Short mmCIF file of all heavy atoms in Angstrom, two decimals:
data_model
loop_
_atom_site.label_atom_id
_atom_site.label_comp_id
_atom_site.label_asym_id
_atom_site.label_seq_id
_atom_site.Cartn_x
_atom_site.Cartn_y
_atom_site.Cartn_z
N MET U 75 178.93 98.01 79.75
CA MET U 75 180.19 98.66 80.02
C MET U 75 179.87 100.09 80.41
O MET U 75 179.09 100.82 79.75
CB MET U 75 181.06 98.69 78.75
CG MET U 75 182.34 99.47 78.87
SD MET U 75 183.53 99.24 77.51
CE MET U 75 182.90 100.38 76.30
N PRO U 76 180.43 100.55 81.52
CA PRO U 76 180.17 101.94 81.95
C PRO U 76 180.78 102.91 80.96
O PRO U 76 181.75 102.58 80.24
CB PRO U 76 180.86 102.04 83.31
CG PRO U 76 181.92 100.98 83.31
CD PRO U 76 181.39 99.90 82.43
N ILE U 77 180.27 104.10 80.91
CA ILE U 77 180.87 105.13 80.05
C ILE U 77 182.25 105.47 80.63
O ILE U 77 182.38 105.74 81.82
CB ILE U 77 179.94 106.36 79.96
CG1 ILE U 77 178.69 105.98 79.20
CG2 ILE U 77 180.68 107.53 79.31
CD1 ILE U 77 177.64 107.08 79.11
N THR U 78 183.20 105.48 79.74
CA THR U 78 184.57 105.70 80.15
C THR U 78 185.16 106.84 79.29
O THR U 78 184.92 106.86 78.08
CB THR U 78 185.44 104.45 79.92
OG1 THR U 78 184.81 103.40 80.70
CG2 THR U 78 186.87 104.62 80.38
N ILE U 79 185.91 107.74 79.87
CA ILE U 79 186.57 108.77 79.16
C ILE U 79 188.07 108.44 79.21
O ILE U 79 188.66 108.37 80.30
CB ILE U 79 186.35 110.17 79.73
CG1 ILE U 79 184.82 110.46 79.72
CG2 ILE U 79 187.14 111.21 78.93
CD1 ILE U 79 184.43 111.77 80.41
N THR U 80 188.64 108.20 78.06
CA THR U 80 190.06 107.80 77.94
C THR U 80 190.84 108.99 77.36
O THR U 80 190.44 109.50 76.32
CB THR U 80 190.23 106.57 77.07
OG1 THR U 80 189.45 105.51 77.62
CG2 THR U 80 191.68 106.18 76.96
N VAL U 81 191.92 109.35 78.01
CA VAL U 81 192.83 110.37 77.40
C VAL U 81 193.77 109.60 76.49
O VAL U 81 194.62 108.84 76.92
CB VAL U 81 193.65 111.06 78.56
CG1 VAL U 81 194.55 112.09 77.96
CG2 VAL U 81 192.71 111.68 79.61
N LYS U 82 193.53 109.78 75.22
CA LYS U 82 194.37 109.09 74.25
C LYS U 82 195.76 109.66 74.15
O LYS U 82 195.93 110.92 74.27
CB LYS U 82 193.70 109.18 72.85
CG LYS U 82 192.28 108.51 72.80
CD LYS U 82 192.29 107.05 73.14
CE LYS U 82 192.84 106.25 71.95
NZ LYS U 82 192.82 104.80 72.25
N VAL U 83 196.74 108.86 73.96
CA VAL U 83 198.12 109.34 73.86
C VAL U 83 198.23 110.28 72.64
O VAL U 83 197.92 109.91 71.54
CB VAL U 83 199.09 108.16 73.70
CG1 VAL U 83 200.53 108.70 73.49
CG2 VAL U 83 199.06 107.27 74.94
N ASN U 84 198.59 111.50 72.95
CA ASN U 84 198.78 112.52 71.90
C ASN U 84 197.50 112.67 71.02
O ASN U 84 197.62 112.97 69.82
CB ASN U 84 199.98 112.28 71.04
CG ASN U 84 201.25 112.22 71.88
OD1 ASN U 84 201.37 112.95 72.88
ND2 ASN U 84 202.20 111.40 71.51
N GLY U 85 196.36 112.44 71.66
CA GLY U 85 195.10 112.52 70.89
C GLY U 85 193.98 113.04 71.72
O GLY U 85 194.18 113.71 72.71
N PRO U 86 192.76 112.73 71.28
CA PRO U 86 191.59 113.30 71.92
C PRO U 86 191.18 112.63 73.26
O PRO U 86 191.81 111.63 73.65
CB PRO U 86 190.46 113.11 70.87
CG PRO U 86 190.90 111.77 70.21
CD PRO U 86 192.39 111.86 70.19
N TYR U 87 190.16 113.17 73.88
CA TYR U 87 189.48 112.50 74.94
C TYR U 87 188.45 111.62 74.25
O TYR U 87 187.62 112.14 73.49
CB TYR U 87 188.75 113.50 75.87
CG TYR U 87 189.65 114.45 76.56
CD1 TYR U 87 189.66 115.81 76.19
CD2 TYR U 87 190.47 114.10 77.60
CE1 TYR U 87 190.47 116.72 76.81
CE2 TYR U 87 191.31 114.97 78.23
CZ TYR U 87 191.28 116.32 77.86
OH TYR U 87 192.07 117.21 78.50
N LEU U 88 188.48 110.36 74.49
CA LEU U 88 187.55 109.40 73.87
C LEU U 88 186.53 108.92 74.87
O LEU U 88 186.87 108.30 75.87
CB LEU U 88 188.32 108.21 73.29
CG LEU U 88 187.51 107.33 72.35
CD1 LEU U 88 187.15 108.09 71.08
CD2 LEU U 88 188.31 106.08 71.98
N ILE U 89 185.26 109.24 74.58
CA ILE U 89 184.15 108.84 75.42
C ILE U 89 183.62 107.56 74.80
O ILE U 89 183.25 107.56 73.59
CB ILE U 89 183.04 109.89 75.51
CG1 ILE U 89 183.64 111.22 76.00
CG2 ILE U 89 181.93 109.45 76.43
CD1 ILE U 89 182.70 112.39 75.88
N ALA U 90 183.52 106.47 75.59
CA ALA U 90 183.10 105.21 75.00
C ALA U 90 182.22 104.49 76.04
O ALA U 90 182.40 104.64 77.26
CB ALA U 90 184.28 104.35 74.64
N GLY U 91 181.30 103.69 75.52
CA GLY U 91 180.45 102.88 76.35
C GLY U 91 179.20 102.51 75.63
O GLY U 91 178.85 103.06 74.60
N ASP U 92 178.50 101.52 76.19
CA ASP U 92 177.26 101.03 75.56
C ASP U 92 176.17 102.10 75.51
O ASP U 92 175.35 102.16 74.62
CB ASP U 92 176.72 99.81 76.27
CG ASP U 92 177.66 98.64 76.10
OD1 ASP U 92 178.39 98.58 75.12
OD2 ASP U 92 177.62 97.73 77.00
N ASP U 93 176.18 103.04 76.46
CA ASP U 93 175.17 104.05 76.55
C ASP U 93 175.72 105.45 76.18
O ASP U 93 175.16 106.47 76.61
CB ASP U 93 174.56 104.12 77.94
CG ASP U 93 173.78 102.91 78.31
OD1 ASP U 93 173.23 102.28 77.35
OD2 ASP U 93 173.72 102.56 79.50
N VAL U 94 176.74 105.46 75.29
CA VAL U 94 177.33 106.73 74.94
C VAL U 94 176.32 107.65 74.25
O VAL U 94 176.43 108.88 74.30
CB VAL U 94 178.63 106.58 74.12
CG1 VAL U 94 178.32 106.20 72.71
CG2 VAL U 94 179.53 107.80 74.20
N ALA U 95 175.29 107.06 73.64
CA ALA U 95 174.27 107.90 73.01
C ALA U 95 173.51 108.76 74.03
O ALA U 95 172.89 109.75 73.67
CB ALA U 95 173.31 107.02 72.21
N GLN U 96 173.61 108.32 75.29
CA GLN U 96 172.94 109.09 76.31
C GLN U 96 173.73 110.33 76.75
O GLN U 96 173.23 111.18 77.49
CB GLN U 96 172.71 108.21 77.58
CG GLN U 96 171.85 107.00 77.29
CD GLN U 96 170.45 107.40 76.81
OE1 GLN U 96 169.84 108.28 77.42
NE2 GLN U 96 170.00 106.81 75.72
N VAL U 97 175.01 110.38 76.33
CA VAL U 97 175.83 111.52 76.71
C VAL U 97 175.39 112.73 75.90
O VAL U 97 175.23 112.71 74.70
CB VAL U 97 177.31 111.22 76.39
CG1 VAL U 97 178.17 112.48 76.64
CG2 VAL U 97 177.79 110.07 77.25
N ARG U 98 175.11 113.84 76.65
CA ARG U 98 174.71 115.11 76.00
C ARG U 98 175.88 116.07 76.12
O ARG U 98 176.37 116.28 77.22
CB ARG U 98 173.48 115.65 76.67
CG ARG U 98 172.24 114.86 76.40
CD ARG U 98 171.01 115.51 77.02
NE ARG U 98 170.73 116.79 76.35
CZ ARG U 98 170.51 117.94 76.96
NH1 ARG U 98 170.55 118.04 78.26
NH2 ARG U 98 170.25 119.02 76.29
N ILE U 99 176.27 116.60 75.01
CA ILE U 99 177.28 117.64 75.00
C ILE U 99 176.59 118.89 74.56
O ILE U 99 175.97 118.96 73.50
CB ILE U 99 178.45 117.29 74.08
CG1 ILE U 99 179.10 115.97 74.54
CG2 ILE U 99 179.49 118.41 74.00
CD1 ILE U 99 180.11 115.41 73.61
N VAL U 100 176.67 119.93 75.41
CA VAL U 100 175.92 121.15 75.15
C VAL U 100 176.86 122.38 75.14
O VAL U 100 177.97 122.35 75.70
CB VAL U 100 174.80 121.37 76.22
CG1 VAL U 100 173.81 120.21 76.17
CG2 VAL U 100 175.38 121.52 77.59
N ASP U 101 176.43 123.45 74.47
CA ASP U 101 177.20 124.68 74.45
C ASP U 101 176.88 125.47 75.73
O ASP U 101 176.09 125.00 76.58
CB ASP U 101 176.92 125.46 73.16
CG ASP U 101 175.53 126.09 73.14
OD1 ASP U 101 174.82 126.10 74.13
OD2 ASP U 101 175.12 126.54 72.04
N PRO U 102 177.51 126.62 75.90
CA PRO U 102 177.32 127.36 77.17
C PRO U 102 175.86 127.76 77.48
O PRO U 102 175.52 128.00 78.61
CB PRO U 102 178.18 128.61 77.00
CG PRO U 102 179.27 128.17 76.06
CD PRO U 102 178.57 127.21 75.09
N THR U 103 175.05 127.71 76.42
CA THR U 103 173.63 128.06 76.68
C THR U 103 172.75 126.84 76.87
O THR U 103 171.54 126.98 77.01
CB THR U 103 173.06 128.89 75.44
OG1 THR U 103 173.03 128.06 74.30
CG2 THR U 103 173.89 130.12 75.21
N GLY U 104 173.38 125.65 76.84
CA GLY U 104 172.64 124.45 76.98
C GLY U 104 172.13 123.81 75.69
O GLY U 104 171.46 122.80 75.70
N HIS U 105 172.47 124.46 74.57
CA HIS U 105 172.05 123.95 73.27
C HIS U 105 172.88 122.70 72.92
O HIS U 105 174.10 122.78 72.92
CB HIS U 105 172.26 125.03 72.19
CG HIS U 105 171.79 124.65 70.83
ND1 HIS U 105 172.60 124.11 69.89
CD2 HIS U 105 170.56 124.68 70.29
CE1 HIS U 105 171.91 123.86 68.82
NE2 HIS U 105 170.66 124.20 69.00
N PRO U 106 172.23 121.59 72.60
CA PRO U 106 172.97 120.38 72.27
C PRO U 106 173.88 120.53 71.02
O PRO U 106 173.47 121.13 70.06
CB PRO U 106 171.87 119.33 72.00
CG PRO U 106 170.65 119.89 72.52
CD PRO U 106 170.79 121.38 72.52
N LEU U 107 175.06 119.96 71.14
CA LEU U 107 176.00 119.89 70.00
C LEU U 107 176.02 118.48 69.52
O LEU U 107 176.04 117.54 70.28
CB LEU U 107 177.41 120.34 70.46
CG LEU U 107 177.49 121.74 71.05
CD1 LEU U 107 178.87 121.96 71.68
CD2 LEU U 107 177.18 122.74 70.00
N VAL U 108 176.02 118.36 68.20
CA VAL U 108 175.98 117.03 67.59
C VAL U 108 177.22 116.81 66.80
O VAL U 108 177.62 117.63 65.98
CB VAL U 108 174.72 116.87 66.69
CG1 VAL U 108 174.70 115.51 66.03
CG2 VAL U 108 173.47 117.13 67.48
N SER U 109 177.83 115.66 67.04
CA SER U 109 179.04 115.29 66.24
C SER U 109 178.61 114.73 64.89
O SER U 109 177.69 113.95 64.77
CB SER U 109 179.82 114.24 67.01
OG SER U 109 180.87 113.72 66.18
N ALA U 110 179.30 115.18 63.83
CA ALA U 110 179.02 114.71 62.49
C ALA U 110 179.57 113.31 62.31
O ALA U 110 179.10 112.57 61.43
CB ALA U 110 179.59 115.65 61.45
N LYS U 111 180.59 112.99 63.09
CA LYS U 111 181.27 111.68 62.93
C LYS U 111 180.91 110.80 64.17
O LYS U 111 180.28 111.24 65.08
CB LYS U 111 182.79 111.83 62.89
CG LYS U 111 183.27 112.52 61.65
CD LYS U 111 184.78 112.50 61.72
CE LYS U 111 185.39 113.31 60.61
NZ LYS U 111 186.85 113.29 60.74
N GLY U 112 181.44 109.63 64.12
CA GLY U 112 181.32 108.75 65.28
C GLY U 112 180.68 107.43 64.94
O GLY U 112 179.95 107.30 63.97
N SER U 113 181.07 106.41 65.72
CA SER U 113 180.61 105.09 65.45
C SER U 113 179.28 104.82 66.15
O SER U 113 178.67 103.76 65.98
CB SER U 113 181.60 104.02 65.93
OG SER U 113 181.72 104.14 67.35
N GLY U 114 178.81 105.77 66.96
CA GLY U 114 177.63 105.53 67.77
C GLY U 114 178.00 105.00 69.13
O GLY U 114 177.24 105.02 70.07
N LYS U 115 179.24 104.45 69.32
CA LYS U 115 179.68 103.94 70.59
C LYS U 115 180.82 104.75 71.11
O LYS U 115 181.29 104.50 72.25
CB LYS U 115 180.14 102.49 70.39
CG LYS U 115 178.98 101.56 70.10
CD LYS U 115 179.00 100.34 70.95
CE LYS U 115 177.75 99.53 70.73
NZ LYS U 115 177.54 98.59 71.79
N THR U 116 181.30 105.74 70.36
CA THR U 116 182.38 106.61 70.85
C THR U 116 182.14 108.05 70.42
O THR U 116 181.48 108.33 69.42
CB THR U 116 183.76 106.19 70.29
OG1 THR U 116 183.73 106.32 68.86
CG2 THR U 116 184.11 104.77 70.67
N ILE U 117 182.67 108.94 71.21
CA ILE U 117 182.71 110.35 70.93
C ILE U 117 184.14 110.81 71.23
O ILE U 117 184.61 110.54 72.29
CB ILE U 117 181.72 111.16 71.80
CG1 ILE U 117 180.27 110.69 71.58
CG2 ILE U 117 181.83 112.67 71.50
CD1 ILE U 117 179.31 111.25 72.62
N ALA U 118 184.72 111.49 70.27
CA ALA U 118 186.09 112.00 70.49
C ALA U 118 186.02 113.54 70.65
O ALA U 118 185.53 114.21 69.77
CB ALA U 118 187.00 111.60 69.34
N LEU U 119 186.52 113.99 71.80
CA LEU U 119 186.56 115.45 72.03
C LEU U 119 188.01 115.96 71.87
O LEU U 119 188.92 115.32 72.36
CB LEU U 119 186.08 115.74 73.45
CG LEU U 119 184.62 115.39 73.73
CD1 LEU U 119 184.27 115.71 75.22
CD2 LEU U 119 183.70 116.13 72.82
N CYS U 120 188.08 117.08 71.19
CA CYS U 120 189.44 117.64 70.92
C CYS U 120 190.13 118.03 72.19
O CYS U 120 189.58 118.65 73.06
CB CYS U 120 189.25 118.90 69.99
SG CYS U 120 190.86 119.65 69.61
N ARG U 121 191.41 117.71 72.25
CA ARG U 121 192.26 118.06 73.38
C ARG U 121 193.39 118.97 72.90
O ARG U 121 194.04 119.63 73.74
CB ARG U 121 192.83 116.76 73.98
CG ARG U 121 193.63 116.94 75.24
CD ARG U 121 193.79 115.62 75.99
NE ARG U 121 194.63 114.67 75.38
CZ ARG U 121 195.84 114.36 75.76
NH1 ARG U 121 196.36 114.97 76.82
NH2 ARG U 121 196.54 113.46 75.16
N CYS U 122 193.66 118.99 71.61
CA CYS U 122 194.78 119.75 71.09
C CYS U 122 194.43 121.23 70.82
O CYS U 122 195.34 122.06 70.73
CB CYS U 122 195.34 119.12 69.84
SG CYS U 122 194.33 119.35 68.35
N GLY U 123 193.17 121.50 70.67
CA GLY U 123 192.72 122.88 70.39
C GLY U 123 192.75 123.26 68.94
O GLY U 123 192.38 124.41 68.61
N ALA U 124 193.07 122.38 68.05
CA ALA U 124 193.17 122.74 66.65
C ALA U 124 192.05 122.21 65.76
O ALA U 124 192.05 122.52 64.56
CB ALA U 124 194.51 122.18 66.09
N SER U 125 191.13 121.50 66.31
CA SER U 125 190.04 120.96 65.50
C SER U 125 189.17 122.12 64.96
O SER U 125 188.96 123.11 65.69
CB SER U 125 189.15 120.04 66.37
OG SER U 125 187.99 119.68 65.63
N VAL U 126 188.69 121.98 63.72
CA VAL U 126 187.79 122.99 63.20
C VAL U 126 186.32 122.60 63.52
O VAL U 126 185.42 123.34 63.14
CB VAL U 126 187.95 123.20 61.63
CG1 VAL U 126 189.35 123.75 61.40
CG2 VAL U 126 187.73 121.92 60.93
N THR U 127 186.16 121.45 64.18
CA THR U 127 184.78 121.01 64.54
C THR U 127 184.70 120.94 66.08
O THR U 127 183.99 120.09 66.62
CB THR U 127 184.43 119.66 63.92
OG1 THR U 127 185.39 118.70 64.40
CG2 THR U 127 184.45 119.72 62.44
N LYS U 128 185.39 121.85 66.81
CA LYS U 128 185.35 121.84 68.27
C LYS U 128 183.88 121.84 68.73
O LYS U 128 183.08 122.50 68.14
CB LYS U 128 186.06 123.03 68.84
CG LYS U 128 187.56 123.04 68.63
CD LYS U 128 188.14 124.28 69.28
CE LYS U 128 189.54 124.52 68.81
NZ LYS U 128 189.61 125.19 67.50
N PRO U 129 183.60 121.13 69.78
CA PRO U 129 184.55 120.45 70.69
C PRO U 129 184.97 119.07 70.22
O PRO U 129 185.60 118.39 70.97
CB PRO U 129 183.75 120.40 72.01
CG PRO U 129 182.36 120.17 71.51
CD PRO U 129 182.21 121.05 70.27
N PHE U 130 184.57 118.70 69.04
CA PHE U 130 184.84 117.38 68.58
C PHE U 130 186.18 117.26 67.89
O PHE U 130 186.62 118.24 67.23
CB PHE U 130 183.71 116.83 67.66
CG PHE U 130 182.39 116.90 68.28
CD1 PHE U 130 181.50 117.87 67.97
CD2 PHE U 130 182.03 115.99 69.26
CE1 PHE U 130 180.24 117.98 68.57
CE2 PHE U 130 180.79 116.03 69.88
CZ PHE U 130 179.91 117.01 69.52
N CYS U 131 186.83 116.14 67.99
CA CYS U 131 188.10 115.90 67.33
C CYS U 131 187.84 115.64 65.82
O CYS U 131 186.92 114.92 65.49
CB CYS U 131 188.80 114.65 67.92
SG CYS U 131 190.20 114.06 67.06
N ASP U 132 188.65 116.29 64.96
CA ASP U 132 188.56 116.00 63.55
C ASP U 132 189.83 115.41 62.98
O ASP U 132 189.97 115.34 61.76
CB ASP U 132 188.20 117.30 62.80
CG ASP U 132 189.29 118.35 62.81
OD1 ASP U 132 190.36 118.12 63.48
OD2 ASP U 132 189.15 119.40 62.20
N GLY U 133 190.72 114.96 63.86
CA GLY U 133 191.94 114.32 63.40
C GLY U 133 193.09 115.26 63.21
O GLY U 133 194.23 114.83 62.91
N THR U 134 192.89 116.60 63.34
CA THR U 134 193.96 117.53 63.13
C THR U 134 195.15 117.31 64.05
O THR U 134 196.28 117.58 63.69
CB THR U 134 193.42 118.96 63.32
OG1 THR U 134 192.38 119.20 62.35
CG2 THR U 134 194.50 119.99 63.06
N HIS U 135 194.92 116.71 65.24
CA HIS U 135 196.02 116.52 66.17
C HIS U 135 197.14 115.72 65.54
O HIS U 135 198.32 115.95 65.82
CB HIS U 135 195.50 115.82 67.46
CG HIS U 135 194.93 114.46 67.19
ND1 HIS U 135 193.58 114.25 66.89
CD2 HIS U 135 195.49 113.25 67.15
CE1 HIS U 135 193.35 112.96 66.70
NE2 HIS U 135 194.51 112.32 66.88
N SER U 136 196.78 114.78 64.65
CA SER U 136 197.85 113.93 63.99
C SER U 136 198.66 114.82 63.04
O SER U 136 199.86 114.70 62.96
CB SER U 136 197.22 112.81 63.19
OG SER U 136 196.61 111.92 64.10
N ARG U 137 197.95 115.68 62.28
CA ARG U 137 198.64 116.47 61.27
C ARG U 137 199.55 117.53 61.90
O ARG U 137 200.58 117.89 61.35
CB ARG U 137 197.62 117.18 60.37
CG ARG U 137 196.91 116.22 59.43
CD ARG U 137 196.11 116.89 58.33
NE ARG U 137 195.01 117.69 58.85
CZ ARG U 137 193.82 117.16 59.17
NH1 ARG U 137 193.62 115.87 59.05
NH2 ARG U 137 192.86 117.93 59.63
N ILE U 138 199.19 118.06 63.08
CA ILE U 138 200.01 119.06 63.71
C ILE U 138 201.05 118.49 64.67
O ILE U 138 201.85 119.26 65.21
CB ILE U 138 199.12 120.15 64.43
CG1 ILE U 138 198.41 119.54 65.62
CG2 ILE U 138 198.18 120.79 63.45
CD1 ILE U 138 197.72 120.52 66.50
N GLY U 139 201.06 117.19 64.91
CA GLY U 139 201.98 116.56 65.75
C GLY U 139 201.75 116.89 67.22
O GLY U 139 202.71 117.08 68.01
N PHE U 140 200.50 116.97 67.62
CA PHE U 140 200.13 117.30 68.98
C PHE U 140 200.81 116.31 69.95
O PHE U 140 200.83 115.13 69.75
CB PHE U 140 198.61 117.19 69.19
CG PHE U 140 198.15 117.35 70.60
CD1 PHE U 140 198.31 118.54 71.31
CD2 PHE U 140 197.62 116.27 71.29
CE1 PHE U 140 197.91 118.63 72.61
CE2 PHE U 140 197.18 116.37 72.62
CZ PHE U 140 197.33 117.56 73.27
N GLN U 141 201.43 116.89 71.00
CA GLN U 141 202.05 116.11 72.04
C GLN U 141 201.33 116.37 73.32
O GLN U 141 201.26 117.52 73.84
CB GLN U 141 203.51 116.50 72.23
CG GLN U 141 204.39 116.25 71.00
CD GLN U 141 204.69 114.81 70.79
OE1 GLN U 141 205.23 114.17 71.69
NE2 GLN U 141 204.32 114.27 69.62
N GLY U 142 200.69 115.31 73.92
CA GLY U 142 200.04 115.48 75.19
C GLY U 142 201.09 115.66 76.31
O GLY U 142 202.29 115.45 76.09
N ALA U 143 200.65 116.04 77.45
CA ALA U 143 201.52 116.37 78.55
C ALA U 143 201.73 115.18 79.50
O ALA U 143 202.34 115.33 80.54
CB ALA U 143 201.01 117.55 79.31
N GLU U 144 201.20 114.01 79.12
CA GLU U 144 201.25 112.87 80.03
C GLU U 144 202.66 112.52 80.45
O GLU U 144 202.93 112.28 81.63
CB GLU U 144 200.57 111.63 79.44
CG GLU U 144 199.12 111.78 79.17
CD GLU U 144 198.85 112.40 77.78
OE1 GLU U 144 199.77 112.84 77.12
OE2 GLU U 144 197.67 112.39 77.42
N GLU U 145 203.58 112.45 79.50
CA GLU U 145 204.96 112.05 79.84
C GLU U 145 205.60 113.09 80.74
O GLU U 145 206.30 112.75 81.67
CB GLU U 145 205.76 111.84 78.55
CG GLU U 145 205.39 110.59 77.79
CD GLU U 145 205.53 109.33 78.64
OE1 GLU U 145 206.52 109.22 79.40
OE2 GLU U 145 204.70 108.48 78.52
N ALA U 146 205.40 114.38 80.43
CA ALA U 146 205.94 115.44 81.30
C ALA U 146 205.38 115.36 82.69
O ALA U 146 206.12 115.53 83.69
CB ALA U 146 205.69 116.80 80.66
N GLN U 147 204.09 115.11 82.79
CA GLN U 147 203.48 115.01 84.12
C GLN U 147 204.03 113.80 84.90
O GLN U 147 204.30 113.92 86.08
CB GLN U 147 201.94 114.92 83.97
CG GLN U 147 201.26 114.97 85.31
CD GLN U 147 201.48 116.28 86.04
OE1 GLN U 147 201.26 117.34 85.48
NE2 GLN U 147 201.92 116.22 87.27
N ARG U 148 204.13 112.69 84.20
CA ARG U 148 204.68 111.49 84.83
C ARG U 148 206.09 111.75 85.34
O ARG U 148 206.42 111.34 86.48
CB ARG U 148 204.68 110.32 83.81
CG ARG U 148 204.19 109.03 84.36
CD ARG U 148 204.00 107.95 83.31
NE ARG U 148 202.70 108.08 82.70
CZ ARG U 148 202.39 108.15 81.44
NH1 ARG U 148 203.33 108.08 80.55
NH2 ARG U 148 201.19 108.26 81.02
N ALA U 149 206.86 112.39 84.54
CA ALA U 149 208.25 112.67 84.90
C ALA U 149 208.26 113.62 86.15
O ALA U 149 209.07 113.42 87.10
CB ALA U 149 209.02 113.31 83.79
N ALA U 150 207.37 114.59 86.17
CA ALA U 150 207.31 115.53 87.27
C ALA U 150 206.86 114.81 88.54
O ALA U 150 207.35 115.06 89.64
CB ALA U 150 206.35 116.70 86.94
N ASP U 151 205.88 113.87 88.37
CA ASP U 151 205.36 113.11 89.51
C ASP U 151 206.45 112.22 90.14
O ASP U 151 206.54 112.09 91.36
CB ASP U 151 204.15 112.26 89.13
CG ASP U 151 202.93 113.11 88.83
OD1 ASP U 151 202.92 114.32 89.17
OD2 ASP U 151 201.98 112.55 88.23
N THR U 152 207.24 111.60 89.26
CA THR U 152 208.25 110.66 89.80
C THR U 152 209.44 111.41 90.38
O THR U 152 210.16 110.85 91.22
CB THR U 152 208.76 109.68 88.71
OG1 THR U 152 209.27 110.45 87.60
CG2 THR U 152 207.65 108.80 88.23
N SER U 153 209.68 112.67 89.98
CA SER U 153 210.83 113.39 90.51
C SER U 153 210.46 114.25 91.69
O SER U 153 211.33 114.80 92.36
CB SER U 153 211.46 114.25 89.43
OG SER U 153 210.56 115.23 89.00
N ALA U 154 209.16 114.35 92.03
CA ALA U 154 208.72 115.16 93.12
C ALA U 154 209.16 114.52 94.46
O ALA U 154 209.07 113.30 94.59
CB ALA U 154 207.20 115.37 93.09
N PRO U 155 209.61 115.33 95.39
CA PRO U 155 209.98 114.76 96.70
C PRO U 155 208.71 114.21 97.41
O PRO U 155 207.64 114.77 97.28
CB PRO U 155 210.51 115.97 97.48
CG PRO U 155 210.19 117.17 96.69
CD PRO U 155 209.76 116.73 95.30
N SER U 156 208.90 113.09 98.09
CA SER U 156 207.77 112.50 98.80
C SER U 156 207.77 112.78 100.27
O SER U 156 208.62 113.32 100.82
CB SER U 156 207.71 111.03 98.53
OG SER U 156 208.94 110.40 98.82
S1 FES K 361 192.54 116.19 69.60
FE1 FES K 361 191.98 115.64 67.63
S2 FES K 361 191.78 117.48 66.56
FE2 FES K 361 192.30 118.08 68.56
#
């Protein structure tokens, strides 16, 4: 399975795939960042901005009621003149 990044509804960016261990996430200086959590087949990156383990998701999005912009974007796309 190719590595896929899924924008989860009102949640993180989920990186998944058989070779997800090959994904390197680095800081601005190129220093590797390691997630403390994960199944080994997925990496969740924070999209809400509230995680205390950025860039990784720590589940805070659920507690703060994060709302992604997908619905607003979809509505804007469908109402735009063609
Ligand atoms: S998306 Fe999960 S903590 Fe931000």
Side-chain angles (χ1 to χ4, degrees):
M75 176 170 81
I77 292 175
T78 303
I79 302 173
T80 303
V81 180
K82 300 298 286 182
V83 175
N84 301 327
Y87 299 109
L88 192 66
I89 304 170
D92 292 335
D93 292 331
V94 76
Q96 299 300 313
V97 173
R98 291 183 67 230
I99 299 172
V100 299
D101 71 12
T103 66
H105 184 264
L107 301 172
V108 179
S109 172
K111 293 184 186 178
S113 66
K115 294 227 173 198
T116 62
I117 299 169
L119 296 178
C120 180
R121 185 162 72 104
C122 73
S125 173
V126 297
T127 60
K128 291 183 197 79
F130 303 103
C131 170
D132 67 358
T134 300
H135 62 271
S136 294
R137 289 192 295 279
I138 66 171
F140 172 67
Q141 297 286 304
E144 296 87 350
E145 289 300 321
Q147 186 62 53
R148 223 172 273 128
D151 289 347
T152 57
S153 65
S156 51

